[in-house]
């Protein structure tokens, strides 16, 4: 109703609002709920009262029964028969001793005393040969006696394991409980071993075995709580301190431990390991309980005496565990994950139970315990295929767990900014939590030591070639694919997963030991490449979905190899000459077919679609070879051609180049990140080596992007956006489609990248203009006055503090050497002259900041003694800004820096092979040490390097205590790489950091990374190219009465072309010198009549280094 209702009048005469139907129903429902709640509360109260009354009565009866039991036991003098023990001793005992759930009461001395009396009587009974007195004879008696015996034996078994669990919780102050625990363990061992039952004859042996078997099966089930209690006990053994030793004798504790291990492995002896199948396994299976509770104990073998460890390593234990884990994988892994919530172990909060199961299985399978490594590496009789697949399964589960919780902790990277006084890392403060975490991770990683041993890998590889030795004949119902013969794909997946685990838990050093082993195991990396070569270049079935012309491409590759010059493999070490352009002889014809050739077809989809087995081989190959490339010298790579021939190196480079480009272009998920990271690292190492000394044709690097390169302007804008995202730690942009230009800029031709660089600067200038930093031309220009005789000092004093403001225009006024201002206006030419003259003076070796390398190209490198000069590092930082200014304005400087120095500016690490470009003599000496066939001790070397500056000698240790460590055959590789690292990275670091700070004030670091070291020098200096006189002549305009037919112009071009002329004829000449307006690229040339005069005057004006006064 829209209108206002009339007021309702009740019969009582009072007005009231009408109650709607919904309100009434709600009120009724609320009242009904209140009544139901009251009923439930009353029922709950009655239940609580009943439970409490039952508990109170039970407790009272139990206490009364205990008192009567104690009187009976103490006053009983007759012979204790088995029936009496069962009815009068055990029946009341099991009632009152198990009535209380809290072990705080059981631990009371009265309770312990009762258990001690009961267990002692039982053991005395079982030591009797009289069938009437031996309690165990009830197990072979009448059916009723057997039933009662089984029931009471099970109750005693559960009680024994409860005592063991309680003993583990108070092991440091156990006092009397250790005696009861020892008696309980002795009792359980005898129960489960009929051979120890005295008086049993052969006629009754089968019945006794059946009774013991039933009890052992009960122990193996989760109803007994056996494995939970044993796991708690073993985990608590670390608390066995010196104080505890005075309370608990070592031999008694050893007996308890040995009994616990015996009971843990007993259920396995009932299994037929050859017929274990899915239909025989359930949730109560002993192997499943053993895996979940015992194998997840952190550092299991370190808790146990060495004499007990072989029992856990035996194949009768490991084989059922391996098969059970693979068959019940989902259930086992689920229960392992639930242990994290149920257990309060600190180790579980850092490393999940599946991680400890992984290391425990590796240690058990390899005979590794207490930090020792078995020389045999793998146990005899071990099923290698099962072992490998179990480790793969657990490693994948561990990786999934770490990924789910985002456990990718960033490690502190200590960067030494000044190597002047020490090469030791800068100390860092570590808090207690961090220290505990670090020590735990180190302890955990140490458990993987067996897999880093060469013998471990060689055993697995040998088993691949062993016919039928690791194939287990089992019924087809098992349906376990891992029971097949082991192959290289399995081994590759094994180590691939472990590498991922190492990299996740310890990103900096975790994977080094295994990478060292993989890299230097003879022939292993060749086997990996053979698999990949067949798969990727020969139309292998693994990639047939993408590879439709593999054989044709393989033949084309072979044809391509024949065209490659044999001179492409000469070593740099053979001479001092470094060829930045490369010595590779390209094919005679460059066309689309050659680009197609180096674009590996199976990799055109990136990591997507690569089968899992090939994927793991590829990941392992990239990780291993990138590690090996960092230690290969040029002689090994180019001359000896190990481990691959140069034609194979080109195939590898083309494969990696295509994979990385397409992986970035198509986008790759997080599951592909490990492969992409390793592939990118390996690709960069190969590309940088090719940049120093070419072994690949240029088309190889350009091939993947030949059809899909974006326009330069688009690429520049994408590059800028992604660089900004990376600066703000946006990891989503790290491996996106647009990151091609950041990660693999070499797929763009150098000329396009130069245009891209200029486009980025153009964009920067536009953004500065929008921000108001640039308005009218010259309005915000920086005015400086510079004396030509002190150009470096004046420039440093006036410009060094500007920082990024140096991007603005500079207006320079010169003061001549006579102290007079030069008559010139700066429209760009003087500032260009200022930059070139300043760099010429500052980079001269005589100035003391930079020196030239001892190679034939005489490249620039900071002088080690520059740090001792006044403002030495500040001056180098200033020169970085000058170079940045030149690059920003497009001004060429006639200087090139050392490859190693530019690598630092590009944020890249230098390796041993690059030392030849810096100091060929030291490089040759280190290779001599590396290949020295005698005892290196004869060379009397230690881990130090000596530097001399200003007549003083400085001894620097390459490692802590290096002056006291002699170089031997065992550590010579460490010495070689420590020396190379010092020369290439540590020594140059403070100078490169200073130069980098100045350079990046004007040039973004991401812009620099568009180029390699040689290209950077070419960008800076324009390269080593002669001036094209014909091109200059064709693009010259003449004014002031001159034309191309003028006599003076003809003489000028003849002089410029250095053509021999009759220089003594031509008449009287003028005395004026030529001058130039560099702002407008204009040469003011007087009307000379003789070539000799023009040449002399022109050279004098060029070399005078004067301003305007000579004209």
């Amino acid at each position: 109703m829209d209108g206002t209702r009339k007021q309702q009048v009740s019969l009582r005469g009072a007005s009231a609002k009408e109650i709607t139907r919904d309100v009434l129903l709600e009120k009724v429902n609320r009242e009904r709920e209140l009544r139901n709640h009251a009923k439930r509360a009353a029922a709950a109260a009655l239940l609580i009262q009943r439970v409490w009354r039952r508990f109170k009565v039970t407790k009272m009866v139990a206490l009364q029964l205990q008192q009567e039991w104690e009187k009976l036991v103490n006053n009983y003098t007759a012979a204790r028969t088995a029936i009496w023990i069962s009815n009068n001793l055990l029946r009341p005992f099991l009632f009152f001793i198990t009535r209380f759930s809290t072990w705080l009461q059981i631990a009371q001395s009265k309770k312990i005393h009762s258990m001690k009396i009961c267990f002692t009587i039982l053991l005395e009974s079982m030591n009797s040969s009289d069938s009437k007195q031996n309690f165990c004879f009830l197990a072979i008696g009448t059916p009723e006696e057997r039933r009662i015996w089984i029931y009471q034996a099970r109750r005693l078994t559960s009680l024994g394991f409860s005592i063991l669990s309680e003993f583990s919780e108070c092991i440091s102050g156990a006092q009397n409980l250790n005696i009861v625990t020892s008696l309980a363990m002795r009792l359980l061992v005898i129960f489960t071993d009929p051979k120890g039952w005295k008086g049993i004859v052969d006629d009754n042996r089968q019945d006794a075995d059946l009774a013991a078997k039933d009890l052992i099966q009960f122990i193996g089930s989760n109803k007994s709580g056996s494995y939970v209690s044993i796991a708690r006990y073993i985990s608590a053994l670390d608390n066995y301190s010196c104080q505890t030793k005075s309370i608990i004798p070592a031999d008694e504790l050893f007996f308890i431990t040995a009994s616990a291990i015996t009971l843990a492995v007993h259920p396995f002896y009932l299994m037929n390991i050859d017929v274990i199948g899915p239909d025989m396994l359930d949730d109560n299976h002993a192997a499943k309980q053993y895996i979940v509770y015992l194998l997840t104990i952190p550092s299991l073998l370190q808790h146990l005496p060495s004499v007990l460890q072989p029992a856990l390593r035996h194949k009768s234990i490991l084989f059922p565990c391996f098969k059970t884990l693979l068959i019940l994988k989902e259930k086992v892994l689920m229960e392992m994950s639930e242990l994290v919530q149920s257990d309060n172990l600190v180790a579980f909060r850092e490393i999940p139970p599946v991680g400890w199961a992984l290391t425990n299985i590796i240690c058990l399978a390899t005979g590794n315990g207490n930090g020792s490594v078995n020389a045999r590496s793998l146990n005899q009789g071990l099923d290698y295929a099962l072992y490998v697949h179990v480790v793969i399964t657990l490693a994948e589960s561990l990786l999934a767990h770490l990924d789910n919780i985002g456990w990718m902790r960033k490690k502190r990277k200590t960067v030494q900014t000044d190597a002047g006084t020490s090469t030791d890392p800068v100390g860092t403060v570590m808090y207690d939590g961090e220290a505990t975490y670090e020590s735990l991770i180190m302890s955990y990683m140490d458990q993987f030591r067996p897999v880093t041993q060469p013998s471990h890998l060689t055993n697995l590889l040998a088993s691949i070639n062993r016919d039928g030795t690791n194939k287990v004949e089992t019924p087809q119902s098992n349906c376990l694919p891992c029971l097949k013969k082991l192959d290289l794909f399995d081994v590759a997946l094994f180590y691939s997963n472990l590498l991922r685990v190492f990299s996740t838990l310890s990103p900096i050093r975790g994977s080094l030991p295994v990478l060292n082993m993989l890299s230097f195991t003879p022939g292993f990396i060749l086997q990996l490449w053979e698999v990949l070569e067949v798969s990727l270049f020969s139309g292998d079935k693994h990639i047939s979905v993408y590879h439709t012309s593999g054989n044709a491409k393989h033949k084309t590759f072979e044809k391509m190899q024949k065209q490659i010059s044999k001179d492409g493999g000469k070593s740099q070490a053979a001479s001092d000459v470094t060829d930045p352009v490369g010595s590779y002889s390209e094919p005679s014809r460059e066309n689309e077919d050659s680009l197609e050739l180096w674009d590996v077809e199976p990799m055109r989809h990136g990591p997507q679609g690569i089968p899992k087995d090939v994927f793991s081989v590829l990941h392992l190959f990239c990780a291993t070879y990138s590690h090996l490339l960092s230690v290969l010298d040029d002689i090994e790579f180019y001359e000896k051609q190990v481990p691959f021939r140069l034609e194979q190196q080109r195939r590898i480079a083309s494969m990696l180049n295509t994979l990385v480009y397409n992986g970035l272009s198509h986008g790759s998920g997080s599951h592909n990140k490990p492969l992409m990271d390793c592939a990118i690292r390996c690709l960069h190492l190969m590309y940088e080596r090719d940049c120093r000394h070419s072994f690949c044709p240029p088309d190889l690097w350009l091939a993947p992007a030949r059809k899909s390169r974006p326009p330069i302007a688009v690429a520049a804008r994408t590059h800028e956006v992604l660089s900004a995202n990376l600066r703000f730690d946006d990891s989503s942009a790290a491996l996106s489609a647009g990151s091609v230009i950041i990660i693999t800029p070499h797929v763009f031709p150098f000329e396009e990248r130069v245009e891209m660089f200029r486009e980025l600067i153009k964009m920067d200038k536009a953004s500065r203009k929008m921000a108001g930093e640039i308005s009218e031309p010259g309005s915000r220009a920086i005015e400086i006055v510079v004396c030509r005789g002190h150009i470096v000092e004046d420039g440093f004093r006036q410009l060094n503090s500007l920082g990024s403001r140096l991007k603005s225009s500079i207006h320079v006024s010169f003061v001549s050497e006579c102290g007079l201002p030069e008559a010139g206006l700066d429209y760009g030419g003087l500032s260009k002259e200022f930059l070139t003259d300043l760099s010429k003076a500052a980079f001269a070796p005589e100035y003391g900041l930079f020196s030239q390398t001892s190679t034939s190209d005489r490249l620039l490198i900071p002088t080690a003694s520059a740090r001792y000069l006044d403002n030495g590092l500040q001056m180098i930082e200033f020169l970085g800004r000058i170079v940045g200014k030149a690059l920003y304005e497009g001004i060429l400087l006639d200087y090139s820096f050392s490859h190693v120095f530019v690598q630092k500016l590009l944020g890249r690490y230098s390796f041993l092979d690059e030392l030849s470009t810096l100091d060929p003599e030291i490089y040759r000496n280190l290779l001599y040490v590396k290949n020295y066939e005698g005892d290196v001790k004869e060379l009397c070397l230690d881990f130090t390097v000596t530097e001399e500056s200003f007549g003083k000698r400085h001894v620097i240790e390459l490692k802590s205590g290096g002056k006291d460590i002699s170089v031997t055959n065992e550590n010579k590789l460490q010495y070689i790489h420590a020396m190379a690292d010092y020369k290439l990275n540590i020594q140059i670091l403070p100078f490169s950091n200073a130069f980098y700070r100045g350079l990046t004030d004007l040039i973004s670091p991401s812009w620099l990374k568009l180029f390699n070291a040689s290209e950077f020098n070419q960008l800076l200096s324009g390269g080593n190219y002669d001036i094209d006189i014909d091109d200059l002549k064709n693009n010259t305009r003449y004014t002031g009465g001159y034309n191309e037919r003028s006599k003076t112009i003809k003489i000028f071009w003849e002089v410029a072309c250095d053509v021999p002329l009759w220089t003594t004829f031509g008449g009287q000449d003028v005395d004026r010198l030529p001058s130039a307006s560099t702002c407008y690229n204009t040469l003011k040339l007087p009307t000379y009549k003789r070539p000799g005069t023009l040449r002399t005057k022109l050279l004098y004006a060029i070399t005078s280094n004067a301003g305007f006064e000579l004209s």
Side-chain angles (χ1 to χ4, degrees):
M1 296 178 60
D2 296 331
T4 305
R5 288 187 176 187
K6 292 183 178 181
Q7 192 176 23
Q8 302 296 317
V9 180
S10 68
L11 296 178
R12 296 187 301 272
S15 62
K17 292 184 179 180
E18 182 182 2
I19 299 178
T20 63
R21 181 175 179 274
D22 294 337
V23 174
L24 180 61
L25 290 176
E26 183 180 354
K27 181 179 179 181
V28 171
N29 289 333
R30 187 164 57 251
E31 292 175 351
R32 184 182 297 115
E33 289 178 1
L34 290 174
R35 289 194 298 270
N36 291 336
H37 177 73
K39 291 179 181 179
R40 290 195 301 270
L46 291 176
L47 178 61
I48 294 173
Q49 291 174 4
R50 285 198 301 269
V51 171
W52 171 250
R53 284 196 298 267
R54 182 174 60 186
F55 171 77
K56 188 175 182 180
V57 171
T58 303
K59 181 180 178 181
M60 182 179 62
V61 172
L63 291 174
Q64 182 180 357
L65 196 60
Q66 181 185 10
Q67 295 174 357
E68 295 176 357
W69 181 84
E70 290 177 351
K71 291 180 180 179
L72 175 65
V73 171
N74 293 331
N75 298 328
Y76 190 80
T77 56
R80 297 186 178 96
T81 63
I83 299 297
W84 183 88
I85 291 175
S86 175
N87 295 334
N88 299 90
L89 181 71
L90 288 180
R91 188 175 181 181
F93 172 79
L94 292 174
F95 177 82
F96 69 75
I97 207 68
T98 58
R99 289 303 94 187
F100 309 103
S101 58
T102 57
W103 269 99
L104 293 176
Q105 296 181 1
I106 296 179
Q108 294 175 357
S109 59
K110 193 173 183 180
K111 296 288 185 181
I112 295 175
H113 180 67
S114 299
M115 290 187 288
K116 182 178 178 181
I117 293 175
C118 182
F119 295 158
T120 302
I121 294 174
L122 278 173
L123 289 173
E124 291 176 355
S125 169
M126 288 186 287
N127 286 328
S128 175
S129 300
D130 190 345
S131 61
K132 293 183 179 181
Q133 296 183 3
N134 195 324
F135 175 72
C136 292
F137 271 82
L138 294 180
I140 57 176
T142 64
E144 180 64 18
E145 290 175 344
R146 295 183 185 183
R147 185 185 63 80
I148 295 175
W149 187 90
I150 288 295
Y151 172 78
Q152 293 179 340
R154 287 186 176 187
R155 294 285 300 276
L156 286 171
T157 300
S158 299
L159 176 62
F161 286 120
S162 299
I163 295 172
L164 181 66
S165 179
E166 171 62 17
F167 179 64
S168 66
E169 295 179 6
C170 53
I171 193 172
S172 60
Q175 296 184 1
N176 294 330
L177 188 57
N178 65 298
I179 300 176
V180 175
T181 306
S182 178
L183 292 174
M185 292 295 102
R186 191 184 306 272
L187 189 67
L188 297 186
V189 170
I190 295 177
F191 273 158
T192 56
D193 184 12
K195 295 179 181 179
W197 296 1
K198 294 186 178 181
I200 301 295
V201 296
D202 294 338
D203 295 340
N204 300 325
R205 181 67 60 187
Q206 185 175 1
D207 293 337
D209 290 340
L210 289 175
K213 181 179 179 180
D214 181 88
L215 188 58
I216 292 173
Q217 289 177 342
F218 174 73
I219 291 175
S221 69
N222 57 1
K223 296 179 181 179
S224 66
S226 56
Y227 288 110
V228 177
S229 299
I230 294 173
R232 289 177 179 172
Y233 168 75
I234 295 176
S235 300
L237 285 177
D238 279 347
N239 298 328
Y240 185 63
S241 61
C242 296
Q243 182 181 0
T244 309
K245 292 180 181 180
S246 60
I247 302 174
I248 307 175
D251 55 348
E252 190 168 344
L253 190 68
F254 174 80
F255 173 78
I256 296 174
T257 305
S259 300
I261 296 299
T262 302
L263 294 171
V265 301
H266 256 336
F268 289 88
Y269 300 146
L270 303 180
M271 304 176 191
N272 186 345
I273 62 175
D274 293 329
V275 295
I276 294 178
D279 53 340
M280 300 182 61
L281 297 175
D282 55 27
D283 289 343
N284 291 328
H285 196 269
K288 176 172 170 289
Q289 306 296 317
Y290 182 91
I291 296 168
V292 172
Y293 295 108
L294 262 63
L295 293 186
T296 57
I297 297 175
S299 305
L300 171 63
L301 292 182
Q302 294 184 10
H303 295 276
L304 301 176
S306 58
V307 70
L308 300 179
Q309 296 177 12
L312 303 182
R313 295 196 186 100
H314 197 268
K315 65 179 182 180
S316 62
I317 307 299
L318 293 180
F319 188 84
C321 287
F322 290 170
K323 294 187 70 175
T324 301
L325 195 150
L326 294 172
I327 294 173
L328 301 178
K329 178 173 65 175
E330 290 77 11
K331 293 182 179 179
V332 170
L333 295 178
M334 179 61 70
E335 291 195 22
M336 284 185 182
S337 64
E338 293 172 355
L339 288 178
V340 179
Q341 289 80 25
S342 62
D343 206 306
N344 293 324
L345 286 176
V346 175
F348 281 177
R349 292 199 294 268
E350 303 294 349
I351 303 294
V354 68
W356 293 110
L358 173 62
T359 54
N360 286 333
I361 285 178
I362 289 175
C363 294
L364 288 170
T366 55
N368 180 52
N370 298 321
S372 63
V373 177
N374 194 316
R376 195 176 63 231
S377 182
L378 287 170
N379 295 345
Q380 291 182 347
L382 181 71
D383 188 293
Y384 291 171
L386 281 177
Y387 163 68
V388 167
H389 282 85
V390 164
V391 171
I392 290 172
T393 299
L394 294 176
E396 289 177 346
S397 178
L398 174 60
L399 288 168
H401 175 85
L402 298 179
D403 290 340
N404 288 338
I405 63 175
W407 201 42
M408 301 288 290
R409 298 193 178 188
K410 294 181 180 180
K411 300 294 183 180
R412 284 190 177 92
K413 293 182 180 179
T414 304
V415 179
Q416 185 178 353
T417 56
D418 189 352
T421 57
S422 174
T423 59
D424 294 335
V426 178
T428 57
V429 179
M430 184 172 292
Y431 298 98
D432 292 340
E434 295 174 343
T436 302
Y437 164 76
E438 293 293 341
S439 61
L440 179 63
I441 292 299
M442 290 178 62
S443 174
Y444 179 73
M445 296 297 292
D446 190 58
Q447 304 294 307
F448 287 100
R449 285 181 57 202
V451 300
T452 66
Q453 303 302 311
S455 55
H456 185 275
L457 176 58
T458 53
N459 283 345
L460 294 181
L461 295 178
S463 68
I464 294 176
N465 302 321
R466 203 178 300 138
D467 294 332
T469 53
N470 36 4
K471 182 176 181 179
V472 181
E473 297 296 337
T474 56
Q476 294 297 323
S477 60
N478 289 349
C479 299
L480 277 180
C482 58
L483 295 182
K484 67 180 182 179
K485 185 179 177 182
L486 193 68
D487 58 29
L488 188 62
F489 292 106
D490 298 326
V491 177
L493 184 57
F494 177 95
Y495 281 103
S496 175
N497 285 339
L498 290 182
L499 274 177
R500 292 175 57 195
V501 171
F502 298 157
S503 301
T504 302
L505 295 179
S506 183
I508 298 177
R509 298 186 179 275
S511 57
L512 288 181
V514 71
L515 284 176
N516 285 332
M517 182 272 296
L518 294 172
S519 301
F520 298 107
T521 298
F524 178 63
I525 197 169
L526 290 174
Q527 293 184 47
L528 294 178
W529 174 243
E530 287 173 2
V531 171
L532 293 175
E533 200 167 24
V534 170
S535 301
L536 303 178
F537 297 100
S538 300
D540 186 81
K541 62 181 180 180
H542 294 293
I543 53 170
S544 58
V545 64
Y546 296 127
H547 198 273
T548 57
S549 58
N551 292 331
K553 184 173 287 291
H554 183 70
K555 293 179 181 178
T556 308
F557 261 108
E558 295 299 330
K559 182 179 179 180
M560 183 74 172
Q561 306 308 328
K562 295 179 182 179
Q563 299 177 358
I564 296 174
S565 171
K566 295 182 179 179
D567 296 334
K570 291 183 180 180
S571 171
Q572 286 178 270
S575 65
D576 293 346
V577 180
T578 302
D579 184 6
V581 179
S583 57
Y584 182 90
S585 297
E586 299 181 31
S588 57
R589 295 189 304 171
E590 295 181 1
N591 49 35
E592 186 65 23
D593 293 338
S594 65
L595 289 172
E596 177 79 16
L597 179 66
W598 299 113
D599 187 9
V600 182
E601 184 176 350
M603 297 287 102
R604 290 178 185 173
H605 297 265
Q608 305 293 342
I610 298 179
K612 185 177 180 180
D613 49 4
V614 178
F615 188 97
S616 61
V617 174
L618 186 57
H619 171 237
L620 191 63
F621 174 82
C622 292
T624 303
Y625 195 44
S626 61
H627 183 74
L628 185 60
L629 279 171
S630 65
V631 297
L632 278 180
D633 57 64
D634 284 351
I635 292 179
E636 293 169 328
F637 189 91
Y638 292 102
E639 292 187 2
K640 296 180 181 179
Q641 297 190 19
V642 291
F644 300 112
R645 303 185 305 276
L646 288 182
E647 57 266 25
Q648 291 177 309
Q649 300 283 12
R650 287 184 274 274
R651 284 193 181 189
I652 295 170
S654 63
M655 175 197 71
L656 293 172
N657 200 41
T658 310
L659 169 66
V660 172
Y661 175 79
N662 289 286
L664 298 175
S665 299
H666 296 94
S668 57
S670 58
H671 61 284
N672 294 323
K673 189 176 184 300
L675 170 61
M676 289 296 294
D677 289 344
C678 293
I680 289 171
R681 171 176 165 78
C682 193
L683 175 65
H684 285 169
L685 289 172
M686 297 200 75
Y687 175 70
E688 290 170 7
R689 191 181 288 262
D690 181 72
C691 292
R692 287 190 303 100
H693 189 198
S694 178
F695 63 92
C696 294
D699 287 346
L700 184 150
W701 305 111
L702 303 176
R706 68 192 186 282
K707 298 179 181 178
S708 57
R709 288 198 301 272
I712 293 173
V714 175
R717 284 166 173 76
T718 303
H719 178 275
E720 193 68 5
V721 171
L722 288 174
S723 299
N725 290 339
L726 291 176
R727 283 195 295 269
F728 289 103
D729 292 332
D730 185 1
S731 59
S732 62
L735 295 179
S736 61
S739 59
V740 169
I741 188 60
I742 293 178
I743 297 176
T744 57
H746 60 260
V747 299
F748 293 78
F750 173 67
E751 293 77 11
E752 292 187 12
R753 281 180 280 137
V754 173
E755 293 183 39
M756 202 179 303
F757 179 77
R758 302 314 310 175
E759 181 68 22
L760 290 169
I761 292 177
K762 181 180 178 182
M763 292 166 52
D764 183 72
K765 290 182 177 180
S767 64
R768 291 176 55 234
K769 186 174 182 179
M770 293 179 62
E773 297 180 26
I774 303 176
S775 54
E776 297 298 326
S779 62
R780 292 180 180 267
I782 301 168
E783 303 283 349
I784 62 172
V785 178
V786 177
C787 178
R788 290 189 181 274
H790 304 88
I791 190 169
V792 178
E793 293 77 6
D794 289 348
F796 175 77
R797 177 174 48 81
Q798 299 178 69
L799 299 178
N800 185 52
S801 60
L802 295 179
S804 61
R805 289 183 295 155
L806 197 57
K807 290 181 179 180
S808 301
S809 299
I810 302 176
H811 284 182
V812 180
S813 299
F814 279 108
V815 176
S816 68
E817 294 182 358
C818 300
L820 299 176
E822 296 184 1
L825 298 177
D826 189 0
Y827 292 101
L830 292 183
S831 58
K832 177 180 178 181
E833 182 181 359
F834 164 72
L835 294 177
T836 55
D837 289 353
L838 186 150
S839 61
K840 180 179 180 180
F843 289 130
E846 297 80 17
Y847 200 82
L849 294 177
F850 281 79
S851 59
Q852 295 178 335
T853 61
S854 56
T855 56
S856 59
D857 42 21
R858 315 298 291 176
L859 300 175
L860 293 175
I861 191 78
T863 305
S865 59
R867 76 184 69 184
Y868 303 110
L869 298 175
D870 292 338
N871 298 323
L873 291 178
Q874 291 87 340
M875 287 292 294
I876 290 179
E877 182 176 344
F878 170 65
L879 292 180
R881 293 191 182 94
I882 294 300
V883 170
K885 178 66 174 177
L887 291 173
Y888 194 80
E889 301 296 346
I891 299 172
L892 298 180
L893 302 179
D894 192 20
Y895 299 96
S896 295
F897 295 102
S898 166
H899 177 93
V900 174
F901 181 66
V902 178
Q903 286 285 82
K904 298 295 157 294
L905 302 181
L906 301 179
R908 295 166 188 163
Y909 189 84
S910 297
F911 297 96
L912 171 64
D913 57 286
E914 299 176 51
L915 187 58
S916 61
T917 66
L918 181 65
D919 195 327
E921 182 179 359
I922 292 181
Y923 180 70
R924 285 193 298 267
N925 291 340
L926 291 180
L927 292 187
Y928 176 79
V929 174
K930 180 179 180 180
N931 300 314
Y932 191 74
E933 297 181 355
D935 189 354
V936 178
K937 283 186 177 181
E938 299 171 355
L939 303 179
C940 300
L941 299 172
D942 55 28
F943 280 78
T944 61
V945 60
T946 303
E947 289 184 354
E948 185 171 351
S949 59
F950 302 108
K952 294 183 179 180
R953 295 168 62 89
H954 304 273
V955 177
I956 300 173
E957 293 183 339
L958 299 176
K959 59 189 301 186
S960 180
K963 63 182 179 180
D964 300 321
I965 302 175
S966 299
V967 178
T968 63
N969 289 340
E970 290 73 24
N971 63 16
K972 66 179 182 180
L973 288 181
Q974 297 180 23
Y975 168 76
I976 291 169
H977 292 287
M979 177 67 78
D981 181 56
Y982 177 78
K983 288 291 183 181
L984 295 171
N985 301 296
I986 298 176
Q987 185 182 42
I988 203 175
L989 186 63
F991 309 108
S992 60
N993 283 347
F995 195 93
Y996 178 83
R997 287 193 298 271
L999 179 62
T1000 53
D1001 276 344
L1002 287 88
I1003 304 297
S1004 171
S1006 62
W1007 302 354
L1008 296 175
K1009 292 180 181 179
L1010 290 171
F1011 309 99
N1012 59 48
S1014 300
E1015 292 169 343
F1016 175 86
N1017 282 329
Q1018 189 173 348
L1019 181 71
L1020 178 63
S1021 63
N1024 297 322
Y1025 299 106
D1026 293 332
I1027 297 176
D1028 189 340
I1029 298 297
D1030 292 333
D1031 182 68
L1032 180 63
K1033 185 176 180 180
N1034 294 333
N1035 289 279
T1036 300
R1037 292 186 298 120
Y1038 304 99
T1039 59
Y1042 282 132
N1043 58 56
E1044 60 183 6
R1045 293 182 300 276
S1046 301
K1047 180 179 179 181
T1048 303
I1049 297 303
K1050 291 181 178 180
I1051 294 174
F1052 172 78
W1053 289 119
E1054 289 171 354
V1055 171
C1057 295
D1058 201 21
V1059 179
L1061 298 171
W1062 294 97
T1063 60
T1064 58
F1065 299 96
Q1068 186 66 29
D1069 246 333
V1070 296
D1071 292 331
R1072 290 181 60 222
L1073 290 169
S1075 60
S1077 295
T1078 55
C1079 306
Y1080 302 104
N1081 294 326
T1082 301
L1083 174 63
K1084 301 175 182 178
L1085 190 67
T1087 55
Y1088 298 115
K1089 299 177 180 179
R1090 290 187 297 179
T1093 304
L1094 189 148
R1095 182 184 185 89
T1096 302
K1097 297 288 186 180
L1098 191 63
L1099 290 176
Y1100 181 80
I1102 291 174
T1103 58
S1104 65
N1105 196 29
F1108 297 89
E1109 65 271 15
L1110 294 181
S1111 59

